[in-house]
């Protein structure tokens, strides 16, 4: 569908959802689908339906990937024959078993990146690869190298302000209920992410990092409001270099921010929008444009948008979709260009055919 259009063209693929513990009649929200477009050749890429599966468990479905022909993103007719047959690899010869949570990004040169988790919730790694319009790179591990039986990273990569940023929390299995701890960060000016990774203070660091404490820059669970951070902090970095974190700690919404000249984070709970839950929105609930930080999520199932200037805690609610007839259970936000914020959401309810909606919000800026 064109962003200003109304009619949808649809394709139904032959793959059938694996489902919860192999039961296709029960959904598994871990098994999300992500869609990426490579601007270099306008290919469409689909990754879907994987939850740390092995080839032994699901020999034909442990890793599910489709790629279109070049120009597929802007083809006049939207049909199945635009796509090559499904395959279980990005680059032949690499390992794609036990993959969960793929997420696409596009770098400033138009290369398509994908990040995913290798392994389980408390013994995994973060990894990524990139597509240059001709082929996929080999897998690059970002954390831990060989994995660790005691903890695993939860987080991702973002291209912001001509740098590639890595941010993650650690999930431990030291208790019966795994908890996420801390916020860990590194960046590089290498657009391929292969070299020149650095800590926040500029000191070089080699990836994959085995000692995650080297990258720790914040501890939301050490603020005295509680010790349970069930979901990872959402994070962004503004054009002026301010870092903003949004976390839910033992039910309390926490905003942590650090200006480019500050030596430490400021942490606040007062004045922080408390209706937005990170559990309902995957892969981040804050973002940035023009030194403005946006907080977007669901309040009582309604799409909501707040904003604050960089380096401040001055949230103003810009939008809430009060006219929506139905509530949403969860979804994802993404920016299209500089002016459109798009929400892809699933309706709340108990059904095997819950509707999916797309809401386009135009964000206008004052001169």
């Amino acid at each position: 569908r064109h962003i200003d259009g109304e009619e949808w063209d649809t394709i139904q693929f032959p793959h059938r959802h694996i489902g919860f513990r192999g039961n296709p009649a029960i959904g598994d929200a871990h098994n999300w689908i992500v869609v990426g477009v490579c601007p270099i050749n306008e290919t469409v890429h689909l990754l879907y339906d994987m939850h740390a599966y092995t080839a032994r468990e699901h020999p034909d479905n442990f890793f599910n990937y489709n790629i279109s022909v070049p120009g597929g993103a802007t083809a006049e007719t939207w049909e199945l024959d635009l796509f090559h047959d499904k395959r279980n690899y990005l680059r032949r010869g690499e390992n794609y078993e036990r993959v969960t949570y793929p997420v696409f990004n596009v770098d400033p040169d138009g290369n398509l990146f994908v990040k995913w988790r290798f392994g389980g919730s408390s013994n995994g790694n973060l990894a990524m690869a990139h597509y240059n319009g001709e082929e996929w790179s080999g897998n690059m591990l970002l954390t831990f190298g060989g994995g660790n039986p005691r903890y695993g990273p939860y987080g991702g990569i973002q291209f912001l302000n001509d740098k590639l940023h890595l941010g993650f929390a650690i999930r431990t299995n030291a208790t019966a209920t795994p908890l996420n701890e801390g916020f860990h960060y590194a960046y590089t000016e290498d657009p391929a992410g292969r070299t020149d990774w650095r800590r926040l203070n500029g000191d070089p660091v080699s990836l994959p990092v085995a000692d995650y404490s080297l990258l720790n820059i914040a501890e939301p669970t050490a603020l005295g409001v509680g010790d349970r951070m069930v979901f990872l902090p959402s994070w962004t970095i503004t054009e002026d270099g301010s870092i903003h974190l949004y976390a839910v700690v033992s039910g309390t919404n926490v905003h942590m921010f650090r200006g480019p000249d500050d030596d430490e984070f400021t942490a606040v709970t007062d004045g922080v929008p408390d209706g937005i839950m990170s559990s309902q929105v995957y892969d981040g609930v804050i973002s940035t444009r023009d030194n403005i930080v946006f907080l977007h999520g669901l309040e009582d199932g309604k799409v909501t948008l707040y904003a604050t200037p960089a380096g401040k805690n001055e949230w103003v609610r810009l939008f809430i979709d009060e006219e929506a007839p139905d509530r949403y259970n969860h979804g994802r936000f993404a920016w299209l260009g500089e002016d459109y914020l798009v929400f892809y959401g699933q309706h709340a309810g108990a059904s095997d055919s819950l509707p999916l909606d797309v809401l386009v919000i135009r964000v206008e800026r004052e001169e």
Side-chain angles (χ1 to χ4, degrees):
R1 197 203 84 174
H2 190 275
I3 192 170
D4 294 323
E6 296 183 356
E7 298 298 323
W8 288 89
D9 289 332
T10 63
I11 294 174
Q12 180 171 317
F13 289 82
H15 175 87
R16 186 178 184 187
H17 177 47
I18 292 173
F20 180 66
R21 296 179 178 173
N23 183 349
I26 304 176
D28 183 352
H30 296 82
N31 298 32
W32 62 38
I33 180 170
V34 289
V35 183
V37 175
C38 178
I40 295 174
N41 63 356
E42 297 184 341
T43 47
V44 182
H45 302 250
L46 310 178
L47 285 167
Y48 52 94
D49 208 10
M50 51 188 96
H51 188 183
Y53 298 135
T54 67
R56 181 178 179 180
E57 293 172 315
H58 301 283
D60 299 321
N61 298 306
F62 68 93
F63 185 87
N64 301 297
Y65 171 61
N66 285 90
I67 179 175
S68 79
V69 299
T74 55
E76 291 187 9
T77 58
W78 187 239
E79 298 176 346
L80 185 58
D81 61 8
L82 286 174
F83 286 83
H84 298 288
D85 291 341
K86 186 187 78 173
R87 66 194 201 199
N88 58 11
Y89 61 89
L90 300 176
R91 182 183 179 94
R92 194 181 297 275
E94 295 282 331
N95 175 27
Y96 298 101
E97 294 190 78
R98 304 203 71 206
V99 169
T100 315
Y101 302 131
V103 177
F104 284 118
N105 283 274
V106 177
D107 77 4
D109 296 323
N111 296 292
L112 184 69
F113 275 68
V114 62
K115 179 275 306 179
W116 65 89
R117 186 190 74 193
F118 256 145
S121 62
S122 57
N123 62 352
N125 291 315
L126 294 178
M128 71 177 186
H130 72 272
Y131 174 78
N132 62 8
E134 297 182 1
E135 62 180 359
W136 281 97
S137 70
N139 300 340
M140 177 183 174
L141 288 180
L142 300 171
T143 52
F144 304 149
N148 189 294
R150 295 183 294 108
Y151 45 70
Y154 269 64
I157 58 173
Q158 296 187 56
F159 290 97
L160 296 167
N161 313 316
D162 299 321
K163 296 182 178 66
L164 176 61
H165 306 265
L166 166 67
F168 60 94
I170 293 294
R171 176 169 293 183
T172 69
N173 62 1
T175 63
T177 302
L179 305 176
N180 293 316
E181 298 178 353
F183 179 71
H184 307 76
Y185 170 79
Y187 73 92
T188 179
E189 296 187 24
D190 173 14
R194 295 288 177 181
T195 62
D196 198 31
W197 283 93
R198 296 182 178 274
R199 301 166 62 191
L200 179 61
N201 63 7
D203 290 346
V205 63
S206 297
L207 296 186
V209 61
D211 181 3
Y212 67 84
S213 65
L214 290 174
L215 303 183
N216 182 278
I217 63 171
E219 285 287 355
T221 57
L223 302 175
V225 298
D227 60 1
R228 286 183 55 81
M229 186 169 63
V230 180
F231 303 96
L232 70 155
S234 182
W235 57 278
T236 194
I237 299 174
T238 62
E239 187 176 345
D240 70 359
S242 298
I243 303 174
H244 286 254
L245 309 177
Y246 177 86
V248 181
V249 181
S250 297
T252 299
N253 291 28
V254 177
H255 179 210
M256 302 181 70
F257 54 96
R258 175 172 172 164
D261 299 321
D262 295 339
D263 294 328
E264 57 186 28
F265 280 90
T266 298
V268 295
T269 57
D270 292 338
V272 182
D274 61 3
I276 291 182
M277 297 298 295
S278 58
S279 61
Q280 296 174 309
V281 180
Y282 293 114
D283 203 47
V285 295
I286 61 173
S287 60
T288 182
R289 289 291 188 277
D290 295 338
N291 282 325
I292 299 295
V293 176
F294 294 94
L295 174 62
H296 30 74
L298 299 173
E299 285 190 17
D300 192 29
K302 304 290 187 180
V303 176
T304 311
L305 177 64
Y306 289 84
T308 183
K312 298 182 182 297
N313 184 63
E314 299 175 357
W315 298 103
V316 175
R317 191 166 74 182
L318 304 180
F319 173 80
I320 182 168
D321 193 13
E322 292 281 18
E323 297 181 1
D326 299 297
R327 294 173 48 195
Y328 295 99
N329 185 46
H330 54 74
R332 181 187 294 272
F333 287 85
W335 285 92
L336 293 182
E338 293 296 316
D339 299 320
Y340 293 99
L341 181 65
V342 181
F343 173 73
Y344 309 86
Q346 183 186 64
H347 286 221
S351 172
D352 60 0
S353 57
L354 291 171
L356 302 176
D357 287 351
V358 176
L359 177 67
V360 180
I361 304 169
R362 183 172 182 178
V363 181
E364 297 181 349
R365 291 164 174 76
E366 296 180 355
E367 296 296 334

